[in-house]
Amino acid sequence: MAGETKNKYDRQLRIWGDQGQAALEKANVCLLNCGPTGSETLKNLVLGGVGSVTIVDGSKVDIGDLGNNFMVNKQSVGESKAKFVCNFLQELNDAVGAKFVEESPEMLIETRPSFFAQFTLVIATQLVENLLVKLDKICRQENVMLVVARSYGLTGLVRISLKEHNVIESKPDHFLDDLRLHNPWPELKQFAKAIDLKVADPVVHKHTPYIVILVIAAEEWARMHGGCFPTTREEKKEFKDLIKSYMIDLDEENYKEAVEAAFKVSASLGISSHLRQIVNDSSCDVDSSSPDFWVLVAALKEFVENEGGGEPPLEGSIPDMTSLTEYYINLQKIYQAKAEADCLAMEHRVRTILKRIGRDPDAISKADIKNFCKNARKLYVIRYRTIEDEFSSPVPPELQKYLTDEDFSFAAGFYVLFRAVDRFAANYNRFPGVFDSDMDEDVARLKAIAIAILTEVGCHASALQEDLITEMCRFGAAEIHAVAAYVGGVASQEVIKLITRQFVPMSGTFIFNGIDNKSQLLAL
């Protein structure tokens, strides 16, 4: 990556690295409708350096747009909205390719579905239900990722739709270091055995790494307990007391670190239930059409069953700790050597599988295999329901539970009312509350539609709060800039996760409730 680009995107490179930025710069994103929600979403991606964007919007700028979209101005009134927003975004980052299509998204969805095949990802903003269902089918057929974003008065939603999304670099906030203290390999045992915890030199005693202390303590415990590690609460307390018994001074930080990390010795052997579910997935039965991810998972499954002895490849890094420099460097080398050996074994299995299924054995690079090994414990596979399936067959117990749960009732209510206002618009050619004179009548109509939707999916309509129905009508389908900016920020964050394949994207419908300033995810 060129130095100028690195300086330009310095802060975000620290989050998703060169690989993530390269994925962003290759991406071709389409935005449907460039009102405030769409414009705010795309602005964040353009500033982040997405490769190219195409804005689809057939409307003209009107006076109302000046109050909620800062990408248009008085001079643009009556002109193409897509053109002005496109020009504004190009000024923000001229490295991004930007173009516009002055046509309504509805027309493209209905008459030119092949148009969407060229894109990496489509962002659909302010689309009604029937168009979303059609667009979702088109995107899935073309293997194009879809992100839905919508703001409506003081509420908004974001939803992702695609067949399957695989994440290697999930980067969880909290994850247990891969130190293998519960299952040390021979070289680590040998290194620990060579260090004497009863050494007379107080400097050496204070700077023995806690990894070594725990390996020695665990071996002594197992010898006294029939080869078993501490499991019960009482045993774990006794194990900590054993560690403390090695101390010769109260201010030995390395022993305090060992006591704090003592629980790592009791970690379960083998892979987690989450990872086991992935390696046992039917997609592991790979063929020539299988994505690289599943080829790597198939190799991982073989590795765990053979060279790994039930464990995944070692990550190969160790955290900071109180230690003599010599000890720490030697420990690093031991962990790195084990990780490299595991990676070589994985590489051999990947090449063998590729050859077996009729693909080029070198089709997956060594760097990709190494990255996979480093993150093997943190893999994620997310499969999304189609929008049509969710709308026609939501999970009634879950929806009912959300509606009757005090914490989730507003979010679930808005979820139902988003569908209701679209059905209202289909029936009356306008959204409820657009005209003040019809407010009372619109509230009654919207309530009847919402009750019908809940009845269709097998939920009790009494759970829907009447105040929300009135508020939804009062919103009058307005896009408020503050809400649009927030929803657009959430949507663009999810887009970046999907494109970079880093971090875990949301797997439900995100609802923003601006009345109570709450954001919640509904798994339906």
Side-chain angles (χ1 to χ4, degrees):
M1 185 176 288
E4 185 181 342
T5 304
K6 278 199 170 186
N7 290 335
K8 186 175 187 178
Y9 302 121
D10 176 63
R11 287 199 297 178
Q12 63 200 49
L13 282 169
R14 300 178 195 202
I15 300 172
W16 54 69
D18 291 348
Q19 195 173 351
Q21 189 64 34
L24 264 183
E25 291 175 4
K26 288 177 186 173
N28 185 8
V29 174
C30 175
L31 172 69
L32 303 184
N33 291 320
C34 58
T37 308
S39 297
E40 288 291 337
T41 305
L42 208 54
K43 175 203 71 178
N44 297 328
L45 299 175
V46 166
L47 289 172
V50 71
S52 57
V53 297
T54 299
I55 300 171
V56 178
D57 194 320
S59 65
K60 306 292 185 185
V61 179
D62 62 33
I63 293 295
D65 293 321
L66 305 184
N68 63 5
N69 192 340
F70 72 82
M71 298 188 196
V72 295
N73 54 35
K74 283 183 180 180
Q75 288 70 40
S76 64
V77 173
E79 301 293 331
S80 164
K81 190 187 292 184
K83 178 182 176 181
F84 269 84
V85 171
C86 183
N87 291 341
F88 184 94
L89 292 172
Q90 191 80 73
E91 288 177 17
L92 290 179
N93 190 347
D94 57 10
V96 175
K99 57 184 179 179
F100 65 93
V101 175
E102 200 175 344
E103 196 169 337
S104 77
E106 180 178 3
M107 188 64 67
L108 283 177
I109 292 168
E110 298 285 3
T111 64
R112 291 171 55 198
S114 59
F115 170 82
F116 298 98
Q118 63 186 294
F119 300 107
T120 309
L121 183 146
V122 173
I123 304 167
T125 67
Q126 308 304 103
L127 286 189
V128 294
E129 182 176 313
N130 67 314
L131 290 177
L132 279 179
V133 169
K134 291 176 183 177
L135 179 61
D136 186 34
K137 289 179 180 177
I138 293 167
C139 288
R140 283 174 179 261
Q141 188 175 340
E142 301 293 348
N143 286 319
V144 174
M145 296 180 282
L146 174 64
V147 174
V148 177
R150 187 173 183 182
S151 60
Y152 195 102
L154 292 176
T155 186
L157 69 77
V158 177
R159 188 197 191 280
I160 295 168
S161 187
L162 64 153
K163 292 176 185 175
E164 179 180 289
H165 185 67
N166 307 315
V167 185
I168 295 174
E169 296 182 67
S170 61
K171 301 185 178 181
D173 290 334
H174 305 287
F175 210 81
L176 197 63
D177 296 317
D178 190 15
L179 301 178
R180 302 292 166 90
L181 298 175
H182 61 296
N183 190 14
W185 61 100
E187 290 81 3
L188 180 58
K189 284 183 179 179
Q190 187 178 345
F191 176 74
K193 195 175 288 186
I195 296 175
D196 183 8
L197 294 187
K198 296 177 181 177
V199 63
D201 187 338
V203 174
V204 174
H205 197 270
K206 282 184 178 181
H207 292 84
T208 300
Y210 80 75
I211 290 178
V212 171
I213 296 168
L214 287 174
V215 170
I216 293 171
E219 193 167 299
E220 184 176 339
W221 175 277
R223 192 165 53 247
M224 296 186 296
H225 293 81
C228 298
F229 287 152
T231 53
T232 66
R233 186 174 182 179
E234 188 59 36
E235 286 179 341
K236 289 175 183 177
K237 183 178 179 300
E238 289 175 16
F239 181 65
K240 289 181 179 179
D241 290 339
L242 173 63
I243 296 168
K244 291 174 184 175
S245 71
Y246 299 140
M247 297 176 71
I248 57 175
D249 203 336
L250 291 175
D251 68 344
E252 293 182 307
E253 287 299 323
N254 56 334
Y255 281 89
K256 291 178 184 177
E257 291 170 359
V259 170
E260 287 176 5
F263 70 94
K264 297 176 182 179
V265 168
S266 302
S268 301
L269 291 171
I271 60 177
S272 66
S273 57
H274 171 78
L275 185 54
R276 187 168 300 283
Q277 192 175 355
I278 294 174
V279 298
N280 288 336
D281 193 285
S282 59
S283 296
C284 274
D285 299 326
V286 294
D287 56 32
S288 58
S289 63
S290 296
D292 289 354
F293 175 84
W294 286 109
V295 173
L296 288 163
V297 173
L300 174 63
K301 184 176 184 179
E302 290 184 5
F303 176 91
V304 170
E305 293 170 349
N306 295 280
E307 296 92 344
E311 301 279 359
L314 186 74
E315 288 180 24
S317 59
I318 57 175
D320 289 336
M321 64 190 74
T322 304
S323 173
L324 291 175
T325 303
E326 180 189 351
Y327 283 168
Y328 190 82
I329 291 172
N330 286 337
L331 260 182
Q332 273 188 323
K333 288 178 180 177
I334 289 167
Y335 274 85
Q336 287 168 358
K338 168 66 172 165
E340 287 169 11
D342 286 355
C343 187
L344 280 173
M346 269 288 291
E347 184 180 359
H348 175 72
R349 291 198 171 275
V350 170
R351 308 285 179 226
T352 303
I353 290 171
L354 286 169
K355 188 175 181 180
R356 187 172 70 230
I357 62 178
R359 289 180 58 187
D360 179 0
D362 296 319
I364 301 176
S365 71
K366 187 167 185 173
D368 286 343
I369 296 170
K370 186 175 182 179
N371 187 51
F372 182 88
C373 290
K374 185 180 176 183
N375 294 282
R377 296 188 304 144
K378 306 164 191 171
L379 306 179
Y380 263 85
V381 175
I382 307 170
R383 294 186 174 109
Y384 295 88
R385 297 179 73 188
T386 65
I387 292 176
E388 182 178 36
D389 186 36
E390 181 184 318
F391 285 164
S392 60
S393 308
V395 186
E398 287 298 311
L399 182 54
Q400 190 69 51
K401 184 181 77 176
Y402 285 134
L403 284 166
T404 54
D405 185 317
E406 188 178 343
D407 289 335
F408 284 88
S409 59
F410 267 39
F414 279 133
Y415 174 83
V416 173
L417 289 170
F418 267 115
R419 297 194 59 197
V421 295
D422 286 348
R423 196 172 291 188
F424 185 106
N427 292 342
Y428 301 103
N429 285 324
R430 64 176 177 82
F431 285 103
V434 172
F435 303 114
D436 289 343
S437 57
D438 297 329
M439 185 64 71
D440 291 341
E441 188 177 2
D442 284 359
V443 169
R445 287 171 172 172
L446 185 62
K447 180 179 178 180
I449 292 170
I451 289 171
I453 290 171
L454 285 170
T455 303
E456 286 169 14
V457 300
C459 291
H460 301 301
S462 59
L464 186 62
Q465 298 186 36
E466 297 232 6
D467 288 350
L468 280 189
I469 300 171
T470 304
E471 286 301 313
M472 206 69 173
C473 288
R474 287 182 61 210
F475 294 159
E479 276 189 88
I480 300 170
H481 181 262
V483 175
Y486 180 80
V487 172
V490 173
S492 57
Q493 176 178 275
E494 297 307 308
V495 169
I496 289 170
K497 290 178 186 177
L498 291 168
I499 291 174
T500 62
R501 292 188 175 272
Q502 295 183 25
F503 302 95
V504 182
M506 61 176 65
S507 56
T509 301
F510 172 91
I511 301 287
F512 170 64
N513 167 12
I515 297 173
D516 292 334
N517 284 323
K518 288 174 76 173
S519 300
Q520 291 167 308
L521 199 63
L522 304 180
L524 298 167

